[in-house]
């Protein structure tokens, strides 16, 4: 405090105030909880007294994490089995109760929560979905549901799931795609559902919990072992202290809720973030991290799992249920269109050699003057003549050997990449080349390099294990932290060996590539290698191994009805394979039902604008320049309220960086994915909290973002979201055939993403706005499926449907501003409603990509002439 007083009196005063609060809780802790609820008697001068204590794990031994303290009531709850002992249909009395909940009790709870009239909360579409879910639970069926935006699908499945699980004492899982939807369901929808069921007289308790993968949670035992050394820098101590405070105050121990921002202003926030990343890595729970009963009672991951075992309904993510299939037999998949890609990610393998090299250097970096690498620290403390010292020396040597072998593997992998380019095969043949190369003499060198690295990593992992065993009883400086770091390193080495073994599986030293896996070498934009082994047909695996094992399941989304029917979604998700097993599967086909709810919104409040003078997307420079000018022009006139959805992260960064100075001068906040020191959650919060900002985003904002009201009135879809036809794409196409691949994978994914992007605009009945599609292909006959996915009017007189406007940019923008009642405002502000491209909007594309000028077409405001 005295040192701070000399350089910043105001900051010193704030510090003194904070210390007073800590030292004298009697001055602020009120029994009525006006400021903070004390919860228990708070000791005076505890902070000052603790200074005299040894600042090591002993102090934490006397404290208990909040996750442990909050688990008490759950301890007495019975465990819910994942399945019933037999068929358990939805009870007749519960069906009558379900109807009353949606007709009376849920609207009453919503009125009490947000005001309005009961009629405002009656949703026929929601009731339809709830009935279908009730019919499916316990009926040995799979249900595919089309629930359009605005249905209120979360409550539609929560209420019947709670009633059914409570009736039979069974556990039901709800698997979502985004973390935002998990938190929204848990924080907003679950309390509403429980309140409505309580009003209906359902006897409690109804238990609901949130469950994620283990590494999302803080392990208190690990936190205690990660106490910084006395010579640790201030940023390291600050990061660890923040995690301690989080553990003592967060009742879930969920690290997704831990703030990555520095708690105070720092001269070097990057250094703090680096230390925080190291600390976070060390305190995350891992598989088998706690073996003793007392440690498991403080590990947030263990407590979250035990809560889930005692819950009627568990909200989790799709990755978890695919990785832990034994945990649920009754599941509801929300945002189910992502299940295909999630399965591909869960069952695929990839490894970047440069990341593996970094892992090894974090283990040992003897060339650095000041190092915190654990093997180097051990080597410095252990006597060379001892067994532990010799094993530490050997581990360091094996680190260096493994690094050398990584370089050798990279050299051989780049040799394959060079050979591949020399082959000059067509894009549709490139996917075959890796397997062909492994059969050559040069390919054998690649196989040997991979095997050698795997063996070296195995030897290193064994050396670290022996070092840990030999040094267990030694009084090492920072011993607990060193051992924890080495335990984590062993896990990373084991994972790396598994990834490398999956990339080139061998038998008797010879490659044995699997036909169901795509094996490849990729080179990213920085020139770094990525070694991949990707499952080729995730839908096939889902249909053979996942869906048939479930007792009942519901698959919901706003995009399950594609092209006017459910066939595409059934194929994409593998439900058709579950229904029609092959002869060698020795199982009966599952019953798969389909249902749809009616549209919930009046889409006549939406105008869809398709400018015809947009440069073709293949004219990359011209198209991006037009997009820049379009956003600049529109944002200046609307003063924000715009969400721009791209399909390429590099484009977002380029356009965002180019537009930032303009909007900064106009005092209109502009946010974009890839901004320095900004993650998706922060961008979402910043955009949602204002009504005058612009947000540029990629994939994650096409799906899970929810910005109702004036925050978002204009959605700009930069391109039709077709996937990139890469080697993986062509490998899939070779297995399925071109037509089947387009209908089962390529088109369903693109159409679902397009409809989800369109759905960002209307989030509640009173919303109104404009969707711009800046892709000339949108209205072409070849791309008519995208038009069919939107609730567009075929003629003026059609009610409840959106209207499409085509014409040059000025014409459609005038119509858009008139739709929003903005033309008079522009005149008052002296701004022209005419769109005039700036100089950068006519940047010439590379030779061969320029197009002849297109004359301005007449304005068209009907789509009846389009080939639907």
């Amino acid at each position: 405090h005295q040192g701070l007083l000399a350089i910043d009196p105001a900051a010193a005063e704030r510090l003194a105030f904070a210390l007073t609060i800590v030292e004298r809780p009697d001055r602020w802790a009120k029994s009525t909880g006006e400021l903070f609820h004390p919860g228990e008697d708070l000791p005076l001068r505890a902070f000052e007294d603790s200074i005299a204590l040894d600042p090591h794990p002993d102090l934490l031994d006397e404290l208990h994490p909040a996750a442990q303290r909050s688990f008490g009531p759950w301890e007495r709850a019975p465990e819910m089995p994942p399945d019933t002992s037999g068929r358990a249909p939805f009870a007749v009395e519960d069906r009558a109760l379900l109807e009353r909940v949606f007709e009376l009790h849920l609207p009453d709870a919503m009125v009490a929560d947000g005001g309005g009239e009961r009629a405002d909360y009656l949703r026929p579409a929601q009731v339809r979905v709830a009935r279908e879910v009730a019919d499916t639970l316990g009926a040995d069926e799979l249900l595919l549901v089309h629930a359009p935006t605005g249905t209120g699908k979360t409550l539609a499945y929560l209420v019947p799931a709670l009633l059914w699980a409570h009736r039979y004492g069974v556990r039901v899982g709800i698997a979502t795609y985004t973390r935002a939807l998990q938190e929204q369901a848990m924080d907003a929808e679950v309390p509403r559902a429980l309140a409505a069921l309580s009003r209906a007289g359902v006897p409690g308790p109804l238990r609901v919990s949130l469950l994620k993968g283990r590494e999302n949670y803080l392990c208190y035992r690990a936190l205690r072992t990660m106490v910084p050394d006395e010579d640790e820098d201030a940023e390291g101590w600050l990061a660890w202290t923040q995690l301690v405070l989080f553990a003592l105050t967060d009742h879930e121990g969920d690290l997704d809720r831990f703030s990555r921002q520095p708690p105070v202003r720092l001269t070097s926030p990057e250094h703090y973030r680096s230390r925080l990343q190291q600390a976070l890595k060390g305190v995350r729970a891992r598989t088998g991290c706690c073996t003793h009963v007392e440690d498991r009672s403080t590990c947030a991951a263990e407590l979250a799992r035990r809560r889930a075992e005692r819950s009627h309904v568990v909200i989790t993510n799709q990755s978890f249920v695919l990785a832990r299939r034994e945990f649920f037999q009754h599941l509801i998949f929300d945002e189910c269109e992502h299940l295909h890609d999630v399965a591909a990610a869960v069952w695929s393998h990839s490894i970047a050699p440069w990341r593996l090299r970094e892992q090894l250097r974090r283990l040992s970096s003897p060339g650095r003057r000041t190092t915190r690498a654990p093997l180097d620290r051990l080597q410095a403390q252990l006597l060379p003549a001892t067994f532990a010292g010799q094993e530490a020396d050997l581990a360091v040597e094996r680190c260096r050997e493994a690094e050398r072998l990584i370089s050798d593997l990279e050299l051989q992998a780049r040799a394959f990449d060079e050979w591949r380019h020399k082959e000059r095969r067509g894009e549709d043949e490139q996917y075959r080349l890796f397997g062909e190369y492994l059969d050559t003499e040069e390919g054998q060198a690649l196989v040997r390099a991979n095997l050698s690295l795997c063996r070296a990593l195995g030897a290193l992992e064994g050396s670290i294990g022996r070092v840990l065993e030999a040094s267990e009883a030694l009084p090492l400086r920072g011993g607990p932290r060193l051992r924890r770091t080495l335990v984590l390193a062993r896990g990373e080495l084991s994972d790396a060996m598994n990834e490398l073994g999956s990339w080139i599986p061998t038998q008797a030293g010879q490659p044995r590539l699997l036909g169901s896996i795509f094996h490849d070498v990729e080179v990213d934009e920085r020139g770094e290698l990525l070694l991949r082994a990707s499952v080729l047909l995730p839908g096939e695996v889902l249909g053979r191994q996942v869906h048939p094992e479930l007792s009942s399941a519901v698959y919901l989304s706003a995009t399950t009805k594609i092209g006017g029917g459910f066939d595409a979604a059934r194929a994409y998700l593998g439900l058709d394979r579950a229904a029609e097993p092959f002869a060698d599967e020795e199982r009966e086909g599952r019953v798969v039902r389909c249902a749809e709810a009616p549209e919930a919104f009046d889409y006549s409040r939406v105008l869809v604008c398709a400018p015809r003078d947009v440069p073709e997307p293949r004219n990359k420079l011209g198209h991006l320049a037009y997009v820049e000018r379009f956003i600049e022009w529109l944002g200046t006139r609307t003063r924000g309220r715009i969400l721009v959805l791209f399909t390429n992260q590099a484009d977002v960064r380029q356009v965002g960086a180019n537009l930032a100075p303009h909007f900064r001068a106009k005092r209109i906040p502009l946010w974009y994915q890839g901004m320095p020191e900004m993650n998706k959650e922060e961008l979402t919060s910043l955009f949602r909290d204002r009504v005058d900002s612009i947000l540029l985003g990629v994939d994650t904002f096409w799906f899970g973002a929810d910005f109702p009201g004036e925050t978002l009135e204009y959605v700009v879809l930069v391109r039709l979201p077709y996937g990139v036809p890469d080697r993986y794409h062509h490998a899939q196409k070779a297995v399925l055939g071109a037509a089947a691949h387009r209908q089962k994978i390529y088109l369903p994914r693109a159409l679902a993403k397009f409809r989800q992007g369109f759905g960002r605009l209307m989030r509640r009945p009173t919303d109104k706005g404009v969707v711009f599609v800046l892709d000339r292909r949108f209205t072409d006959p070849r791309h008519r499926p995208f038009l069919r996915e939107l609730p567009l009017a075929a003629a003026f007189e059609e009610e409840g449907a959106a209207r499409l406007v085509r014409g040059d940019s000025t014409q459609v923008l005038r119509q858009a501003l008139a739709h929003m009642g903005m033309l008079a405002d522009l005149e008052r502000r002296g701004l022209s409603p005419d769109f005039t491209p700036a100089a950068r909007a006519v940047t010439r594309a590379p030779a061969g990509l320029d197009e002849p000028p297109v004359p301005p077409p007449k304005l068209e405001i009907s789509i009846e002439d389009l080939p639907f």
Side-chain angles (χ1 to χ4, degrees), residues 655-668:
V655 173
N658 290 345
L659 289 176
H662 169 81
F663 285 112
R664 191 180 304 117
K666 297 289 184 180
R667 297 187 178 181
I668 300 174

Side-chain angles (χ1 to χ4, degrees), residues 301-317:
E302 189 72 19
L303 296 172
R305 181 188 59 80
R306 290 165 63 186
R307 274 194 300 270
E309 290 173 341
R310 291 159 171 77
S311 296
H312 297 97
V313 169
V314 181
I315 298 173
T316 183
N317 56 66

Side-chain angles (χ1 to χ4, degrees), residues 258-464:
F258 177 77
S259 174
R260 271 60 170 175
Q261 295 299 319
V264 294
R265 294 185 64 181
L266 300 173
T267 57
S268 177
E270 293 78 14
H271 186 51
Y272 168 78
R273 289 191 177 90
S274 173
R275 287 285 182 261
L276 182 61
Q277 279 300 112
Q278 295 175 20
L280 280 168
K281 179 183 175 183
V283 303
R284 291 185 183 278
R286 309 292 172 124
T287 301
C289 65
C290 293
T291 56
H292 297 94
V293 173
E294 58 271 23
D295 292 333
R296 291 198 296 270
S297 70
T298 64
C299 179
E302 189 72 19
L303 296 172
R305 181 188 59 80
R306 290 165 63 186
R307 274 194 300 270
E309 290 173 341
R310 291 159 171 77
S311 296
H312 297 97
V313 169
V314 181
I315 298 173
T316 183
N317 56 66
Q318 295 172 9
S319 296
F320 180 87
V321 300
L322 293 180
R324 295 284 306 278
R325 299 208 294 268
E326 77 285 354
F327 204 80
F328 298 104
Q329 282 297 303
H330 302 274
L331 274 165
I332 297 170
F333 291 96
D334 200 350
E335 299 177 310
C336 68
E337 72 269 25
H338 297 285
L339 190 57
H340 180 281
D341 289 340
V342 170
V346 170
W347 298 325
S348 297
H349 302 270
S350 66
I351 186 168
W354 71 270
R355 288 189 181 277
L356 180 56
R357 183 182 289 108
E358 287 299 313
Q359 291 173 9
L360 294 177
R361 289 175 179 172
R362 285 196 298 269
L363 268 173
S364 172
S365 300
R368 299 179 184 176
R369 291 185 178 181
T370 58
T371 178
R372 300 187 182 279
L375 284 179
D376 300 335
R377 282 178 169 270
L378 275 174
Q379 202 176 28
Q381 294 189 60
L382 297 172
L383 295 175
T386 64
F387 175 73
Q390 292 172 348
E391 284 296 334
D393 292 342
L394 184 58
V396 170
E397 291 177 13
R398 285 176 168 167
C399 259
R400 301 288 78 76
E401 174 65 8
E403 280 192 60
R404 185 188 66 77
L405 291 173
I406 290 174
S407 298
D408 187 30
L409 179 62
E410 286 180 311
L411 184 66
Q412 297 299 332
R414 292 190 188 281
F416 159 69
D417 190 53
E418 292 174 5
W419 176 86
R420 175 166 56 192
H421 283 90
K422 292 177 182 177
E423 284 294 298
R424 299 187 180 279
R425 302 276 186 93
E427 288 186 355
D428 58 346
E429 290 289 324
Q430 290 268 325
Y431 72 93
R432 304 177 186 274
L433 294 180
F434 188 70
E436 292 181 14
Y437 183 77
L438 295 186
D439 289 335
T440 67
E441 185 176 342
E442 295 85 352
Q444 287 296 307
L446 176 59
V447 174
R448 289 193 296 271
N450 193 61
L451 281 172
S452 297
L453 179 56
C454 283
R455 295 190 186 105
L457 294 177
L460 174 58
E461 193 261 348
S463 285
I464 293 174

Side-chain angles (χ1 to χ4, degrees), residues 160-217:
L162 282 165
L163 283 172
W164 185 79
H166 184 259
R167 164 73 61 182
Y168 293 107
V170 68
R171 183 191 317 150
V172 175
I174 294 172
T176 73
Y177 175 61
T178 63
R179 190 169 72 205
L181 188 57
Q182 293 172 40
E183 293 172 353
Q184 176 186 332
M186 194 68 190
D187 297 340
E189 308 297 1
V190 166
R192 288 171 181 164
L194 294 177
L197 291 171
S198 177
R199 286 172 178 267
V202 177
L206 294 170
R207 292 181 294 276
V208 184
S209 64
L210 184 66
L211 181 63
K212 303 179 182 180
R214 291 187 68 87
E215 292 193 13
N216 289 278
Y217 295 97

